[in-house]
Amino acid sequence: MSRKLIIAANWKMNKGPSETGDFLKTFLAKIAPLTSNCEVVVAPPFVSLPIASELLANSNVELAAQNVSQFDSGAYTGEVNVVMLKELYVRHVILGHSERRSIYGETDAVINGKIKKAREANLRPIFCIGETLEEREAGKLEEVLRRQVRGGLDGVSEKDLLDCVLAYEPVWAIGTGVTASPEQAQEAHAFVRSLLAELYGKTVSEKIRIQYGGSVKAGNAAELMGQPDIDGALVGGASLEPQSFLDLIQNGVAG
Ligand code: 13P
């Protein structure tokens, strides 16, 4: 089964509109040759989506948001809904990121609501899962991944799952410079795929792309993305400079 790589930049709370514009002008001048073998996605903060949307129109780079509300509209101070994102031609939305889970208390049920709401509007979730160091050391890796996958995808149809990407991001590898070894990452990815097979059947599970996230950089991209069940990357720090993100994509595609 060949799955096209998908590499996404998660800028987190970095780059307002002017920095976003500067980054994309440099990046777009060089990215085209790399996009035939790889889907490339950029997720700026909400306020930078309009300028990014304008600059990415007619390019091969797709736009993502970093979050969305599980509600429609109304009295939800500080929130943004799916219709607002669609108006800006946003295609993907990152959901369930460990920072949303740990800092903002998002539960599996909340994330499930967001995934369903995103699919109602035909947004494509990048659904993040991953264990903490404490959970891994306590031998709970599989239990945690099972709970997150089952909880996040509860009631999500096969058709909707096919428009999702999963991202395995071990919390201990995020922003720490510590990457899971290719073997550790492959093992977790194969397990996540087996969970998808339990829920949706083997054929569907083999179509779903699973990104790895956590200290991915140009230097380790090839080895990680060379693993059979690793279908791309969700990148924080190394996506903040155009050249470092371009090098990472180039090496990932070669991997
Ligand atoms: P880093 O690449 O900075 O470790 O961040 C990973 C991440 O959380 C992407 O969503």
Side-chain angles (χ1 to χ4, degrees):
M1 165 64 60
S2 76
R3 295 175 292 263
K4 191 172 185 178
L5 282 181
I6 176 164
I7 301 182
N10 174 11
W11 288 350
K12 309 189 179 185
M13 198 165 70
N14 294 291
K15 298 194 191 297
S18 55
E19 277 187 72
T20 295
D22 292 345
F23 177 106
L24 289 177
K25 282 174 205 155
T26 309
F27 185 71
L28 287 173
K30 298 187 179 170
I31 187 63
L34 295 173
T35 54
S36 52
N37 295 317
C38 180
E39 208 173 326
V40 176
V41 179
V42 176
F46 283 134
V47 294
S48 302
L49 289 173
I51 180 76
S53 182
E54 211 177 296
L55 291 170
L56 297 183
N58 306 316
S59 82
N60 295 332
V61 177
E62 295 161 11
L63 187 57
Q66 297 176 18
N67 186 22
V68 76
S69 173
Q70 68 271 48
F71 302 116
D72 286 326
S73 62
Y76 301 102
T77 301
E79 292 291 293
V80 165
N81 70 23
V82 291
V83 179
M84 299 168 187
L85 297 184
K86 291 297 285 185
E87 191 176 332
L88 292 173
Y89 302 101
V90 171
R91 181 172 168 86
H92 310 265
V93 58
I94 298 172
L95 296 172
H97 193 281
S98 66
E99 288 148 21
R100 299 294 318 169
R101 294 177 188 263
S102 67
I103 306 171
Y104 301 99
E106 289 190 11
T107 61
D108 294 320
V110 166
I111 295 157
N112 177 248
K114 292 185 176 199
I115 290 174
K116 287 176 174 162
K117 190 54 71 182
R119 287 306 306 140
E120 277 175 28
N122 202 23
L123 283 168
R124 295 163 174 254
I126 295 176
F127 168 36
C128 306
I129 53 175
E131 82 291 358
T132 63
L133 187 57
E134 207 182 0
E135 289 163 339
R136 177 173 274 262
E137 287 178 345
K140 293 188 173 160
L141 170 65
E142 296 193 352
E143 178 188 326
V144 170
L145 294 179
R146 177 175 280 111
R147 192 199 71 228
Q148 292 176 338
V149 168
R150 284 185 173 264
L153 296 178
D154 186 35
V156 172
S157 69
E158 172 183 317
K159 181 173 171 295
D160 283 332
L161 178 77
L162 288 166
D163 282 322
C164 294
V165 168
L166 269 70
Y168 169 65
E169 298 204 306
V171 179
W172 46 274
I174 295 179
T176 57
V178 181
T179 321
S181 67
E183 295 74 26
Q184 282 174 318
Q186 165 57 27
E187 196 181 339
H189 280 234
F191 178 69
V192 172
R193 201 174 302 287
S194 78
L195 290 173
L196 294 175
E198 273 171 31
L199 294 170
Y200 296 92
K202 192 163 162 46
T203 310
V204 171
S205 77
E206 287 182 349
K207 291 182 181 160
I208 306 300
R209 293 175 297 177
I210 308 174
Q211 296 174 310
Y212 170 79
S215 299
V216 182
K217 35 191 177 291
N220 58 24
E223 214 183 354
L224 285 162
M225 285 180 253
Q227 300 299 313
D229 285 291
I230 301 184
D231 311 309
L234 184 56
V235 186
S239 71
L240 292 172
E241 293 297 330
Q243 196 56 50
S244 106
F245 193 41
L246 287 161
D247 291 344
L248 186 160
I249 295 166
Q250 183 157 29
N251 294 351
V253 167

